[in-house]
Structures are given as C-alpha cells and as structure tokens.
Amino acid sequence: MTAAVDPVKLMKQEVGKAAAAHVKSGSIVGLGTGSTTAYAIQYIGDRLKSGELNDIKGVPTSFQAEVLAKQYSIPLTTLDAIDHIDIAIDGADEVDPQKNLIKGGGAAHTREKVVDYLADQFIVVVDSGKLVDRLGSVFAVPVEVIPMAIAPVIQAIAKLGGKPELRMGIKKAGPVITDQGNMVIDVKFDTIDDPVSLEKTLNNIPGVLENGIFVNCADLVLIGEVKDGQPIVRQL
Ligand SMILES: O=C(CO)[C@H](O)[C@H](O)COP(=O)(O)O
C-alpha cells in the first residue's frame, strides 16, 4: 500500500520551487522562515549545487533559516555587510486581497519584517488555505514583547478590544522565547477593519518590539493549489 501524499505539503513544495526560480545569480536573498519557505531555501540550494545559480548571498530571518541555509550550502551575510537586498522569499499565515499579511506563526516576524521590507522584491509563498477576505479572520496577530513588559502590554491590548494570549512552548515548559530573547502574545481581534492603523497602534504600546501585520510590503504572492490531484501555482 502506498502512503497518501499530503496535498498541503505538495502545495508548499511547488510554491517554494516557483519562488526559488525567481532568484538570479549575483543576488542578495532574504531567506524567510517557516515550512513553505524551507522548500524555497532547499530549491535555491539545489540550483546553486547544479551550477544554474552562482554568487548568491542569503540574509536569514531566523535561526531556522540560518540552519537550513547552511544545510543547503547557501553563503550567508548580515545587514551590516550589505547595502541592499535584491529579493526576499517568505511565508505568511494570512493574506488578504490587497496583499496585506499576518506573519509570525513561527515567532520570527520581527526579523522577517526588517528583511522583507528592505528587499527590492518581496515574494510571499503560501498554500491556498492562507487566503482570507479580511485579515484576522482566522489567525491571531503575533506581538513580540520584551519580558518585563508582558503584564502592562496584555492590559493595553485588552483595552484595544483584542484577546491576548501568551504563546506557550510545545515540548518546552513555559512561554515561547524568540530568537531575540523576547516573548510573543497572540492577539485575536473580532475584525481588523484597518490593518495599517492597527499595526501602528500595537507598535506604539511601550514594551512591544514588533507585531505580525505586514502592510504595503508584498510585491508578489505565489499561491500553491492542488487541481485534479496536481499541484499548481498561481499569482494573487
Ligand atoms: O511568519 C512566519 C514565521 O514567523 C511564517 O512565514 C509563517 O508562519 C508561515 O509558515 P508556514 O509556511 O510554515 O505555514
């Protein structure tokens, strides 16, 4: 008996491959975080190995991205050694029709926001399950907070009408700790009518480092779908 192929995995693989095909030789590439971007990193590595691509430098958005880049022999650099990023590839947890995003399912949104906004071209890679009519319909907004400010930030967020929940670890007792040593509060809002203003409002709370609302940032959204059992990629 052959094992059934997971359709979500198929979509992620195909969209990751499609995004990796956009990377040109000589580029500085922002390497996003998450299971979909992991395939893009793998395919960039494959293209380097085959000689189809050369002279690439990657800027990782997380410890995970750094480990994967090393695994696939992608040379890395840091923001103090470069003056631009040509292209960034990153996943998302929600995408609305205006290409606004919620990110941070992997608690990496702070570094992702720095890298993705710096890139001349930012390509988002998602499976079709991430598309929503309105941001916040399904996913909570991740907010990275410095540990000593957790209590007042939770109070301030509750006053804004959000339902804050401290993100807890899996296979680790206690809260999730980000790559910067901070904590994450996931905030569910009934509706997000104005993501532009909510992004600013959340970041204005003292103790908040960054939140996962990304507006006016994505240039291209690649969506993986399965049609008639076959994975396809379309653009938003
Ligand atoms: O924002 C992120 C990490 O902070 C990820 O890009 C986002 O959570 C999507 O991940 P995946 O591709 O595994 O669904």
Side-chain angles (χ1 to χ4, degrees):
M1 203 172 83
T2 49
V5 187
D6 174 2
V8 176
K9 184 178 169 185
L10 267 184
M11 292 191 265
K12 289 181 180 205
Q13 269 175 333
E14 210 58 23
V15 80
K17 193 173 188 172
H22 284 258
V23 176
K24 297 189 175 75
S25 290
S27 301
I28 301 175
V29 188
L31 303 172
T33 300
S35 55
T36 318
T37 317
Y39 289 115
I41 295 174
Q42 179 188 334
Y43 288 117
I44 292 169
D46 287 351
R47 292 186 64 207
L48 275 173
K49 197 170 169 189
S50 71
E52 188 187 319
L53 261 187
N54 54 66
D55 191 22
I56 294 297
K57 284 194 188 86
V59 182
T61 56
S62 61
F63 183 74
Q64 182 213 31
E66 187 175 335
V67 169
L68 281 171
K70 285 176 182 162
Q71 183 181 335
Y72 295 110
S73 305
I74 300 172
L76 293 175
T77 187
T78 52
L79 293 180
D80 52 1
I82 55 175
D83 60 4
H84 74 287
I85 294 175
D86 294 291
I87 181 171
I89 299 171
D90 208 344
D93 301 296
E94 279 190 356
V95 182
D96 78 5
Q98 287 74 43
K99 301 194 186 94
N100 296 319
L101 318 173
I102 292 182
K103 288 185 49 53
H109 56 278
T110 299
R111 281 172 62 181
E112 290 174 328
K113 200 176 266 191
V114 173
V115 170
D116 297 345
Y117 273 79
L118 266 178
D120 294 339
Q121 188 188 25
F122 172 33
I123 301 182
V124 180
V125 284
V126 288
D127 59 80
S128 54
K130 305 290 185 63
L131 302 180
V132 294
D133 288 335
R134 193 179 267 237
L135 282 191
S137 313
V138 185
F139 212 76
V141 179
V143 179
E144 181 166 355
V145 181
I146 63 169
M148 59 79 79
I150 283 292
V153 170
I154 283 177
Q155 284 164 20
I157 284 173
K159 275 190 198 149
L160 289 175
K163 292 183 193 67
E165 200 174 304
L166 183 62
R167 191 181 298 184
M168 302 306 280
I170 296 172
K171 290 196 175 185
K172 184 253 181 203
V176 165
I177 303 296
T178 69
D179 288 357
Q180 291 73 240
N182 297 314
M183 296 180 191
V184 174
I185 299 173
D186 290 306
V187 188
K188 189 76 188 81
F189 291 93
D190 287 339
T191 55
I192 298 179
D193 296 324
D194 184 351
V196 174
S197 115
L198 183 61
E199 184 198 13
K200 291 194 186 101
T201 304
L202 288 170
N203 279 357
N204 271 342
I205 301 171
V208 169
L209 180 59
E210 189 54 82
N211 72 80
I213 299 175
F214 286 45
V215 288
N216 304 322
C217 176
D219 296 298
L220 176 63
V221 177
L222 296 177
I223 304 156
E225 284 180 339
V226 173
K227 267 216 168 123
D228 304 326
Q230 293 304 314
I232 57 160
V233 175
R234 69 175 172 94
Q235 298 184 11
L236 184 64

